[in-house]
Amino acid sequence: MLEIDKLLHTIQKLRSRDGCPWDIKQTLDSLQKYLAEEVEELHTAIIQKDHDNICEEIGDVLYVLLMLAEIEREQGNFTIADCIRNIDAKLLRRHPHVFENKAKLSEKELRLQWEKIKSDEKKRNI
């Protein structure tokens, strides 16, 4: 079992009928402030180059993100696997210079390529 699967299982247990009352009552709305707080704490740790704290804060941000995804799964909207598939497809699509033609591009060419890909995605509603 992958570590992320263990964490997902823990979150599902926390939100189950026999879980933690605090975790059970969380919603997309209630988690907004915690997400903002944890991202700010991660940002501060990065600025301070506090690697132990960066590790901890990445975990805290990940927990909130997975809680949000779990709530969406419970409501039948999507799963964390959908999120992962979507971002992987987006990264592959937006980096043809790495995954397709392996062209060496300048930073300017990369920026122009990125902007064109994003524009094309919007036209196709991707």
Side-chain angles (χ1 to χ4, degrees):
M1 179 180 262
L2 297 174
E3 298 303 322
I4 195 162
D5 293 326
K6 291 178 189 176
L7 178 55
L8 285 167
H9 178 75
T10 298
I11 289 170
Q12 289 168 354
K13 177 66 176 169
L14 289 170
R15 289 189 51 81
S16 72
R17 186 178 321 122
D18 299 323
C20 171
W22 185 89
D23 290 274
I24 292 168
K25 74 177 188 177
Q26 296 312 305
T27 65
L28 297 179
D29 290 336
S30 69
L31 289 172
Q32 289 180 54
K33 67 180 175 183
Y34 299 110
L35 179 60
E37 288 172 6
E38 296 302 346
V39 168
E40 180 58 33
E41 290 173 6
L42 174 57
H43 181 245
T44 299
I46 292 169
I47 289 170
Q48 296 172 348
K49 297 186 180 5
D50 181 346
H51 301 287
D52 290 337
N53 204 22
I54 291 170
C55 181
E56 180 179 341
E57 297 305 334
I58 287 173
D60 291 349
V61 170
L62 182 59
Y63 162 71
V64 176
L65 294 175
L66 292 177
M67 279 283 284
L68 292 166
E70 177 59 18
I71 291 166
E72 292 286 7
R73 185 197 65 79
E74 292 167 359
Q75 295 173 355
N77 297 322
F78 59 82
T79 68
I80 191 65
D82 296 322
C83 298
I84 293 168
R85 274 191 298 277
N86 289 344
I87 190 60
D88 187 51
K90 182 189 291 186
L91 290 170
L92 293 171
R93 204 172 44 247
R94 290 188 180 178
H95 294 85
H97 57 287
V98 175
F99 299 106
E100 292 176 19
N101 57 21
K102 307 224 189 259
K104 298 288 183 198
L105 301 176
S106 68
E107 285 200 30
K108 180 180 179 183
E109 291 169 322
L110 285 171
R111 184 177 41 76
L112 292 172
Q113 174 183 269
W114 184 271
E115 289 170 4
K116 181 182 180 331
I117 292 168
K118 281 186 71 170
S119 174
D120 291 347
E121 288 173 351
K122 287 184 187 217
K123 289 176 190 171
R124 295 189 326 248
N125 290 322
I126 296 178

